[in-house]
Amino acid sequence: MRIPCPYCGERDAHEFVYRGDAAPQRPDGAEANEAAFADYVYPRANVAGAMHEHWYHAQGCRTWIVVERDTRSHAIAGATLAREAKR
Amino acid sequence: MSRLAAGGSIDRRQPLAFTFDGKSYQGFAGDTLASALIANDVRLVGRSFKYHRPRGILTAGAEEPNALVTLRSGARAEPNSKATTVELYDGLEAASQNRWPSLGFDMMAVNGLLSPIFVAGFYYKTFMWPRRFWERLYEPLIRRAAGLGALSGLPDPDSYDRDHAFCDLLVIGAGPAGLMAALTAGRAGARVLIVEEDFALGGRLLAERHEIDGQPAADWVAAVAAELASLPTVRVLKRTTLFGGYDSCTFGAVEKVADHLVTPAAGQPRQRLWKIAAKRTILATGAVERPISFGGNDRPGVMQASAVEAYVNRFATAPGKRIAIFALTASGLRLARALKAAGIEVPAIVTPDGTGDGSTIAGMVTATHGKTLRSIEVSGRRIEADILAMAGGWNPAIGIASHLGARPVWDDAIHAFVLKTPPAGMALAGAAAGHFSLGEAIDDGLREAQAALADLGMPATVGARPATSDDPAGVGTLWSVPGSKGKAFVDFQHDVTVDDIALAEREGFRSVEHLKRYTTLGMATDQGKAGQVNGQALLAAATATAMGEKGTVIARPPDRPVAIGAFAGAHTAAHFRPVRLTAGHAWAAENGASFVDTGQWKRAQWFTRPGESDWLESVTREARAVRTGVGICDVSTLGKIEVAGPDAATLLDRLYTNMMSTLPVGKARYGLMLREDGFVFDDGTAARLADDRYVISTTTANAARVMQHVDYCRHVLWPELDAQAVSVTEQWAQVAVAGPNARVLMQRLLPDMDLSNEAFPFMASAQCRWRDGPARLFRLSFSGELAYEIAVPADRGAALMRALTEAGRSFGVTPYGTEALGVLRIEKGHPAGNELNGQTTAHDLGMGRMLSARKDFIGRALAGRAALTDPMRPTLVGLKPVRPGERVRGGAHLLPLGAAARAEHDQGYVTSACFSPVVDGWIALGLLANGPSRIGERVRAVSPVRGTDVEVEVCSPIFFDPEGVRLRG
Ligand SMILES: [Zn+2]
């Protein structure tokens, strides 16, 4: 598999570390409760289709990126910097 | 000898000597082992897997199920080599397999007489019970009886290489379609890679007689090969097997660099693994001919028609003197013409409906006779023939496309599985696309190359489409022959018969995947390339479903067996993974260090002095030296990360459980990191170098993981924070200097610094100078002694170790390793890797106080869960044996006194244990349920692995200087 790193261009997937679903958002702030965090940390959708995922270009630019991948075909539609995806 | 007097692509001026089963033979350059055996009249080449039936060469390609040999001998022996794909070389040595004691007389052939019990599913039915017989009787028996070739068991003396290729267009297969495609794209200036398994280009054109542009096809192939070689953007890889298609149009291939030599030349790899990234791919892998399932179709002498054609035309051999043909396809008649042209008698051409020329017999072959073939039976009539060529139709070779998720569908027009929708980026051409005539192959190659060029935005130069001779490609079907006598084989290598398929169906195995596993159809080394479709057709007939309705089995990589050595490449032995050495490595080695692997790092474990015979003696001396004098320890492997920027303090507050923003410049603080689920992730220190700059340390094991985590927090969680982070682990060499004499030693090293307790107290940090270069000084203590850590740029690390040794010589400075470091920290109750094991919480480690209530941090919410702060959780305690001198072992389970050593009484376990010089006995740290409230209680530490059972007293984890007087001294 090859992943289009926004910094480095298309690179072999072996250079990257996979983390998982990019959808869950951390419930920031000291007031967020246990239930909100449990929801953030544990349940994950088992997506069949297009999915946004976090990958880390560990053996490259060391950037966290968001990759759009189809879990059925492994076709990769594109990738953006995680910090830009958040905005 | 059955070598024809003329013709073929062999070089008669280059004779090659070889041996088979110890007998000497001669072939020519351009032969395969199979063609050379045929030329030498060797008819019997192997025994079948289950029944040990005698078998001859069936095919001329990689689909060969019978002619498996062990190539070479000794450490270079390679079992299960297909004689049909082995390029002949001078000195080749081959041996037949799966026969005992000899190929001609095989004791195990008795299995054939017992065949009623060796039916489909016989493994499942026969060897089920009694269960205890399995390991001692059944498995060894099956392995002896059913094994194919055996590995030598010796280290592989050859080397393997790995390479990467990138191209606009990858063409898989150099037959007419592939050559036409590569030429079209190459002429347009595209970067083309064409891979061909064979040692010659041309594919079917090597075996069949056709004309292209009015010339013999071989001349066209030669001209195309010459032009491809002249094009600067085209690379031709011969002897290269493309074995797998992977995501994003990447492919794996093995180039047999030196397999056609006795031994590789010096420095030459035997094979090279290619990882290919292609923008577009054309699959031009051709098609595999199917056998026909009639009685006795496995008798040596029964061959694929396409193979007979190759042996006659390409290799100039006569596989027999009288070659009969049983054909369902138009190619059978082409073979008859080729045989007659070579002067070989064709006693009969049999087709089910009698189509063909006037001499064709309408009928079917129902039986064969002879040890090797002597005659065939057609409609009760015997016909003398020493070879029967069967033309059963074609299976497009689409395995590589299936790897990429494409699902084959049945095409009734050509009676074969084809791909209607190839995977993205891939096109099919020629026989692989189900287009069996030469004209279609040329058309496909041209059209698909032009389509790929257009797709890539490259202009195609329009070349003329070469004219091709007429090539009728009609295909019929005949899945089984009614009235067959004797076994009719579907899968030759695994001895699966027509009857086995019927039996599997009767017993309820009606899906193609179940059929495969129950009968083992297609599970041998040829992966069912020849027989799989026939088996499925028989299943479809038995279940009265349309062919293809049940789909087909899913092909997965590798498409061909690949030597494990090729995957490993050069990454073996010392090159298996990188080795990281600290700047002080040579210094440590000179001082007698024994090294231990911590991840990729080599760390000094202890330093043996003359006269010391035992590691414990060295470690005890080192630990004692730190408590009484001064020791130095290389701690460079600990992770170091610099965090800088206006929001560096805020970022660290969120990373650590405790407050880091309140840390003054010039100070350091111990810190704990959790995972978001509330468990402890890592620990270390943070030192504030400036308002907007910190350097933090991590454990050696987690250095990379913490860096990744810090980046995750910066990039994903809080990109609004203006903070940068970079690993400087390898940029700085760091040494711990510990012991009552540490200050004196450091003062000698840094004469200009005020190191008094007032000026540089416990947990102070400073950026300073050593020998006119930058240095960092920290007053940190892992040992509980007065201690410093000094860091210098890595290129000065070795000099620093030598300077410390020199400066401390007069008061006996002692290098100490990771073992003594462990002793010192266990004595002080500091958790390390054994306690920070991913299953412990801050509460478990007695550090619940470090969870700040004044801020949010990673892991805050979930660390507060009731179950994670339950006092009954195993919690850190000290343990010491009740009877002096007894030894507690790491990993021992903690049980109440008097309770049986069973899992239900388990209350925790020993995490770390050592011999403590200050206690003068064995001590340990452990995690014990409700531990802190059980101080003074006695429990058992039981290690079933080591067979020890020691009564221990629960105590504080801090065995030495609990008030911390020494480290503040
Ligand atoms: Zn990158």
Side-chain angles (χ1 to χ4, degrees), chain B residues 189-267:
Chain B
R191 286 193 303 168
V192 177
L193 179 67
I194 177 167
V195 296
E196 170 54 53
E197 184 166 36
D198 206 316
F199 53 87
L201 302 181
R204 59 186 288 206
L205 298 180
L206 292 163
E208 301 171 8
R209 292 284 172 260
H210 297 284
E211 284 188 358
I212 298 179
D213 277 345
Q215 301 292 316
D219 294 356
W220 180 79
V221 172
V224 173
E227 189 174 347
L228 290 176
S230 75
L231 293 170
T233 59
V234 176
R235 179 164 202 171
V236 182
L237 285 178
K238 285 191 280 191
R239 302 187 176 96
T240 303
T241 304
L242 199 126
F243 61 79
Y246 304 92
D247 295 324
S248 313
C249 289
T250 56
F251 299 88
V254 167
E255 181 185 2
K256 295 183 170 177
V257 181
D259 273 357
H260 58 298
L261 306 171
V262 179
T263 54

Side-chain angles (χ1 to χ4, degrees), chain A residues 5-9 11 16 57 60-63 65:
Chain A
C5 174
Y7 273 141
C8 310
R11 305 293 303 173
F16 295 80
H57 198 184
C61 61
R62 250 188 57 210
T63 304
I65 60 177

Side-chain angles (χ1 to χ4, degrees), chain A residues 14-17 55-64, chain B residues 704 708 711:
Chain A
H14 286 112
E15 295 180 0
F16 295 80
V17 172
W55 292 74
Y56 181 58
H57 198 184
Q59 292 174 52
C61 61
R62 250 188 57 210
T63 304
W64 280 96
Chain B
Q708 184 180 320
D711 284 339

Side-chain angles (χ1 to χ4, degrees), chain A residues 1-2 12 14 17 19 26 28-34 37-38 40-42 54 56 62-64 73-74 76 82-83 86-87, chain B residues 166 247-248 250 275 277 676-677 707-708 711-712 714-719 725-727 855-862 864-865:
Chain A
M1 189 187 291
R2 296 179 65 77
D12 195 291
H14 286 112
V17 172
R19 182 170 168 118
R26 188 178 192 272
D28 274 352
E31 64 286 347
N33 63 17
E34 195 181 298
F37 268 96
Y40 164 64
V41 168
Y42 294 111
H54 280 135
Y56 181 58
R62 250 188 57 210
T63 304
W64 280 96
S73 64
H74 293 189
I76 290 175
R83 56 158 59 103
K86 176 111 175 184
R87 285 188 189 129
Chain B
F166 299 85
D247 295 324
S248 313
T250 56
K275 195 166 176 177
E676 197 67 274
D677 65 3
M707 187 69 244
Q708 184 180 320
D711 284 339
Y712 183 78
R714 296 193 308 119
H715 294 162
V716 178
L717 297 184
W718 306 297
V726 64
S727 165
K855 58 161 187 159
D856 187 24
F857 56 86
I858 301 261
R860 173 191 58 82
L862 296 188
R865 284 181 287 178

Side-chain angles (χ1 to χ4, degrees), chain B residues 336-515:
Chain B
R337 286 194 300 276
L339 294 175
K340 285 167 187 165
I344 297 168
E345 196 185 333
V346 181
I349 304 171
V350 183
T351 65
D353 55 3
T355 51
D357 55 24
S359 64
T360 310
I361 302 169
M364 300 178 198
V365 177
T366 51
T368 63
H369 301 282
K371 186 179 179 189
T372 62
L373 189 70
R374 301 282 296 275
S375 66
I376 59 173
E377 267 183 53
V378 180
S379 311
R381 188 179 129 202
R382 280 211 186 200
I383 299 169
E384 302 262 307
D386 56 359
I387 291 287
L388 174 64
M390 49 182 175
W394 303 95
N395 294 332
I398 49 178
I400 300 294
S402 302
H403 296 175
L404 297 171
R407 291 284 166 267
V409 291
W410 186 252
D411 185 336
D412 270 323
I414 59 165
H415 308 292
F417 282 106
V418 296
L419 286 183
K420 295 280 194 230
T421 34
M426 180 180 277
L428 276 63
H435 305 147
F436 299 131
S437 78
L438 174 61
E440 289 172 294
I442 295 286
D443 284 338
D444 283 5
L446 186 66
R447 186 186 62 248
E448 295 305 339
Q450 283 172 338
L453 290 167
D455 220 11
L456 295 169
M458 304 178 84
T461 48
V462 181
R465 188 270 199 203
T468 49
S469 54
D470 195 32
D471 180 29
V475 180
T477 52
L478 177 63
W479 301 119
S480 70
V481 173
S484 274
K485 297 178 200 158
K487 286 191 174 64
F489 285 86
V490 178
D491 183 321
F492 290 75
Q493 198 172 85
H494 263 176
D495 281 344
V496 180
T497 65
V498 171
D499 291 344
D500 287 326
I501 309 279
L503 180 66
E505 189 279 328
R506 284 202 303 279
E507 295 185 346
F509 295 90
R510 285 167 190 157
S511 100
V512 290
E513 296 285 358
H514 288 159
L515 176 75

Side-chain angles (χ1 to χ4, degrees), chain B residues 29-312:
Chain B
D31 262 327
T32 61
L33 173 57
S35 69
L37 287 171
I38 286 172
N40 285 280
D41 300 324
V42 177
R43 303 288 295 270
L44 184 58
V45 292
R47 289 269 174 177
S48 71
F49 186 70
K50 201 158 76 180
Y51 301 132
H52 289 245
R53 283 166 75 102
R55 291 282 165 83
I57 293 162
L58 181 72
T59 75
E63 66 275 20
E64 176 61 36
N66 292 345
L68 304 185
V69 300
T70 296
L71 211 54
R72 305 184 177 87
S73 57
R76 286 195 165 86
E78 188 171 7
N80 301 343
S81 300
K82 298 180 175 87
T84 49
T85 62
V86 170
E87 183 175 353
L88 195 68
Y89 54 85
D90 201 43
L92 180 146
E93 192 185 340
S96 59
Q97 302 180 160
N98 205 28
R99 41 60 176 171
W100 184 81
S102 76
L103 192 53
F105 176 75
D106 185 331
M107 292 292 285
M108 292 291 182
V110 68
N111 284 2
L113 303 176
L114 301 175
S115 62
I117 69 159
F118 281 92
V119 293
F122 85 106
Y123 289 108
Y124 306 108
K125 289 169 183 162
T126 314
F127 300 111
M128 285 300 289
W129 47 261
R131 177 170 285 207
R132 67 178 185 281
F133 277 27
W134 179 255
E135 264 180 38
R136 273 183 298 166
L137 183 63
Y138 295 150
E139 190 180 331
L141 186 74
I142 291 170
R143 289 201 184 283
R144 174 136 32 102
L148 285 170
L151 292 167
S152 74
L154 299 168
D156 190 334
D158 295 324
S159 64
Y160 297 82
D161 198 5
R162 191 186 289 180
D163 211 336
H164 297 257
F166 299 85
C167 56
D168 297 319
L169 180 66
L170 168 68
V171 181
I172 307 169
L179 288 173
M180 194 64 221
L183 188 65
T184 306
R187 281 174 174 168
R191 286 193 303 168
V192 177
L193 179 67
I194 177 167
V195 296
E196 170 54 53
E197 184 166 36
D198 206 316
F199 53 87
L201 302 181
R204 59 186 288 206
L205 298 180
L206 292 163
E208 301 171 8
R209 292 284 172 260
H210 297 284
E211 284 188 358
I212 298 179
D213 277 345
Q215 301 292 316
D219 294 356
W220 180 79
V221 172
V224 173
E227 189 174 347
L228 290 176
S230 75
L231 293 170
T233 59
V234 176
R235 179 164 202 171
V236 182
L237 285 178
K238 285 191 280 191
R239 302 187 176 96
T240 303
T241 304
L242 199 126
F243 61 79
Y246 304 92
D247 295 324
S248 313
C249 289
T250 56
F251 299 88
V254 167
E255 181 185 2
K256 295 183 170 177
V257 181
D259 273 357
H260 58 298
L261 306 171
V262 179
T263 54
Q268 188 182 39
R270 190 161 87 82
Q271 296 182 352
R272 179 177 290 124
L273 186 81
W274 285 91
K275 195 166 176 177
I276 302 165
K279 289 183 184 156
R280 294 291 179 278
T281 305
I282 292 177
L283 190 69
T285 37
V288 175
E289 194 170 41
R290 291 196 285 256
I292 305 173
S293 304
F294 55 86
N297 63 346
D298 71 325
R299 197 171 307 282
V302 179
M303 292 175 82
Q304 304 282 58
S306 58
V308 174
E309 202 172 2
Y311 290 121
V312 172

